[in-house]
Amino acid sequence: MRSYCPAEGWGPVSNRRVFDLTPCFEDTILLAIPALIFSGFALVNLWKLNKLPEIPHRKKWLYRLKTILSYSLPLIGAARLVTVLRISQPASISLSLGAQFTALVLLPIVMRRNHLRARRSSSLVLLFWPTYLAALATWARTSYLTSWFDQIKTELIFTISLVVIGTIVWSLECIGPEHGPGAYHPIGKDVHESPFQTANIYSRWTFHWMDALMRLGSKRPLEEEDVYELGPGDQADVLAEKLESAAAKHSSLWAALAAAYGATYAEAAMLKVFQDILAFAQPQFLRMFLAYISYYQASVVDPNTTSAPPSRFQGFVIVAGMFACASAQTIILHQYFDKCYRTGMRFRSGLVALIYKKALVLSSEERNKMPSGDMVNLASVDAMRLQDLCTYGLIAISGPFQITLAFISLYELLGWSAFVGVGVMLASIPINTVGLLWILRSSELNMVLGNSTVYQKASRAADEEHGQAHKADERAPKQY
């Protein structure tokens, strides 16, 4: 480890600078590992793209511009690597620059193959570059504080060139292969196809692909021709075929539904877990910010203090963390509900299609045994309940997880005394249960008594009307 990190050690926090990381930690964790992860996913993505056919008429100005600029990135990475290797430096720097060079070599290849074979921007590139820029900004600050750029002045020029050109390439990748009405579309594409099919990952996160429909709906009522067609994976025949093939392999309906549509629901469960973690991380950021303000005021305002004030950069980092946490929580929560509603819609569509398909092949004897109302209830009421279950079913996982996080947070703040309130809450559960049962029984008894009273009054009124009618019938012959 000494030969790998000779100067400040592994860290991760530097003992020489205020609120900073060690160069070894930044080279290995912040720069090398994300680059290696991107390289691994890039190879898998290239393997998947090779299976897709190439879409013609894609080599236009956007493709040429992206190709020229993106292939200049590995050249800059190679120049950085050669510049540093000429000087005796720790092994962590060589590992970091080598991993970055590998990622920069694969990046233009992925972009080119994705532009020619896919219908939307590469999500891998769009996610990697902002992450890489954030890590590079942290490394640049440490390099400036340690006078690294004074030793190798050319690396500063290479780093700035890499950031500028890479950001331009990233902006061009956000446009997407099908960027305009004149772009070539595959044969068989519907005119009313949903923009969701070609929207990049940022557009899907923010639901930007729905802006045109929302603007039209704000001007006039929407008609059937204005609504987009469903995607290929959400068509009723496709959903029914998936559920039918899954039901042939599994005897249980739940297992068949999970095999047919469970992948999207599993993604929603993971998103919900992350959202719960971020929901409890936000108060921690607020606690850190309040502690920072208190410490800063005590070290600056108080003239008798001897401690150095904290770095102002630390306060900005905490505020940026709060903003990033809140933004990520909002995006994840909306994506969670989108996937839950999508899964519920697939459950209902697949079940309704299978129910009516089964009803069409029933014999006359079986149809006589089954009332028509049962089939309608299965297709409407029961399928709707399963759809509602998909929307709120993950609360069974999220609820205990949130309670566990709340207990941990209370224990860190208050210690064992926090569980006194928990004990009172648990002890009040049976008392509340008994009280609710007593209220329910009293309300049921009042309903029975009220119904009997109403029945007696109605019977008495009916008897009186019957008696009056009988007397009128008796008087009628006499009058005649």
Side-chain angles (χ1 to χ4, degrees):
M1 184 62 70
R2 284 291 181 182
S3 60
Y4 186 78
C5 305
E8 301 182 24
W10 173 256
V13 180
S14 175
N15 53 8
R16 300 182 181 181
R17 296 174 301 279
V18 179
F19 194 70
D20 195 14
L21 302 173
T22 60
C24 182
F25 180 82
E26 293 177 352
D27 290 333
T28 306
I29 302 299
L30 295 185
L31 292 174
I33 290 183
L36 293 176
I37 292 175
F38 170 79
S39 301
F41 279 102
L43 294 175
V44 176
N45 193 16
L46 288 174
W47 175 69
K48 291 182 178 180
L49 289 173
N50 285 333
K51 297 181 179 181
L52 300 177
E54 186 171 325
I55 302 175
H57 306 289
R58 283 286 181 88
K59 297 181 179 180
K60 296 187 177 181
W61 67 269
L62 181 63
Y63 169 78
R64 297 187 182 94
L65 185 59
K66 285 197 300 185
T67 302
I68 295 173
L69 293 177
S70 61
Y71 275 100
S72 64
L73 296 179
L75 298 178
I76 299 175
R80 291 182 62 200
L81 183 60
V82 171
T83 303
V84 174
L85 290 179
R86 293 173 58 185
I87 306 173
S88 178
Q89 296 296 336
S92 60
I93 299 179
S94 302
L95 172 64
S96 173
L97 292 176
Q100 295 177 57
F101 174 71
T102 305
L104 294 176
V105 168
L106 291 173
L107 188 141
I109 301 175
V110 172
M111 292 180 59
R112 178 180 180 276
R113 195 65 56 86
N114 183 84
H115 188 92
L116 296 177
R117 297 174 183 265
R119 298 192 57 197
R120 60 189 182 97
S121 303
S122 175
S123 301
L124 187 61
V125 175
L126 295 184
L127 292 177
F128 167 72
W129 192 254
T131 306
Y132 179 67
L133 285 183
L136 204 62
T138 306
W139 169 83
R141 177 179 179 269
T142 304
S143 300
Y144 172 77
L145 295 176
T146 56
S147 302
W148 169 257
F149 293 131
D150 295 338
Q151 302 177 19
I152 308 177
K153 297 181 179 180
T154 55
E155 188 173 3
L156 177 61
I157 301 175
F158 290 146
T159 304
I160 295 176
S161 303
L162 181 67
V163 170
V164 173
I165 297 176
T167 304
I168 296 174
V169 171
W170 173 80
S171 303
L172 295 174
E173 184 64 20
C174 289
I175 299 176
E178 299 182 10
H179 58 277
Y184 176 83
H185 302 298
I187 297 176
K189 176 182 175 181
D190 199 330
V191 178
H192 295 286
E193 183 190 34
S194 174
F196 181 81
Q197 305 300 323
T198 56
N200 60 36
I201 190 169
Y202 300 139
S203 180
R204 294 189 177 191
W205 282 356
T206 58
F207 297 93
H208 177 70
W209 58 274
M210 295 182 63
D211 281 0
L213 187 63
M214 295 294 115
R215 284 195 296 266
L216 182 62
S218 64
K219 296 177 182 178
R220 61 173 178 83
L222 294 176
E223 300 177 357
E224 184 179 357
E225 293 78 11
D226 302 327
V227 182
Y228 303 126
E229 295 288 339
L230 290 174
D234 294 329
Q235 298 288 341
D237 53 347
V238 177
L239 296 174
E241 184 179 355
K242 283 185 179 180
L243 185 56
E244 188 175 6
S245 60
K249 300 177 183 178
H250 302 84
S251 58
S252 174
L253 177 62
W254 292 108
L257 290 172
Y261 318 121
T264 306
Y265 207 54
E267 295 176 2
M270 296 177 60
L271 290 176
K272 184 58 178 173
V273 171
F274 287 137
Q275 191 269 333
D276 292 339
I277 295 175
L278 292 176
F280 283 90
Q282 188 76 8
Q284 302 300 325
F285 276 108
L286 182 60
R287 182 172 61 86
M288 293 170 57
F289 185 64
L290 294 177
Y292 168 81
I293 292 177
S294 176
Y295 181 59
Y296 187 85
Q297 290 178 347
S299 59
V300 175
V301 178
D302 190 2
N304 299 323
T305 184
T306 57
S307 59
S311 173
R312 294 184 178 181
F313 181 72
Q314 181 179 356
F316 287 107
V317 170
I318 296 175
V319 173
M322 294 174 63
F323 174 76
C325 182
S327 302
Q329 182 182 353
T330 303
I331 293 173
I332 291 175
L333 183 62
H334 290 167
Q335 292 299 312
Y336 157 74
F337 277 114
D338 176 69
K339 292 183 182 298
C340 286
Y341 283 122
R342 191 181 296 271
T343 306
M345 180 269 297
R346 291 175 178 175
F347 270 37
R348 185 182 179 187
S349 300
L351 286 173
V352 170
L354 282 186
I355 289 171
Y356 283 109
K357 185 176 181 180
K358 180 67 175 178
L360 293 175
V361 298
L362 285 176
S363 61
S364 58
E365 296 179 359
E366 294 177 347
R367 191 172 299 173
N368 292 330
K369 294 178 182 178
M370 179 181 292
S372 60
D374 293 345
M375 195 173 301
V376 174
N377 288 335
L378 287 174
S380 59
V381 180
D382 296 340
M384 178 63 74
R385 288 177 179 176
L386 283 176
Q387 184 178 4
D388 295 338
L389 177 63
C390 293
T391 306
Y392 304 104
L394 290 177
I395 295 179
I397 300 175
S398 175
F401 184 66
Q402 290 185 22
I403 292 173
T404 304
L405 292 178
F407 283 169
I408 295 174
S409 180
L410 286 174
Y411 176 75
E412 290 181 353
L413 291 175
L414 303 177
W416 290 103
S417 59
F419 293 95
V420 175
V422 176
V424 173
M425 182 184 67
L426 295 177
S428 64
I429 291 177
I431 299 175
N432 293 332
T433 304
V434 173
L436 289 175
L437 291 176
W438 181 80
I439 292 173
L440 289 175
R441 291 173 183 173
S442 300
S443 60
E444 291 177 358
L445 182 60
N446 291 332
M447 290 178 63
V448 171
L449 294 177
N451 291 335
S452 61
T453 303
V454 172
Y455 177 74
Q456 291 176 0
K457 291 181 179 180
S459 300
R460 193 177 304 161
D463 293 340
E464 291 178 356
E465 291 180 358
H466 180 69
Q468 292 177 359
H470 182 67
K471 291 179 180 178
D473 293 340
E474 291 180 349
R475 291 196 202 99
K478 296 179 182 180
Q479 293 176 358
Y480 179 76

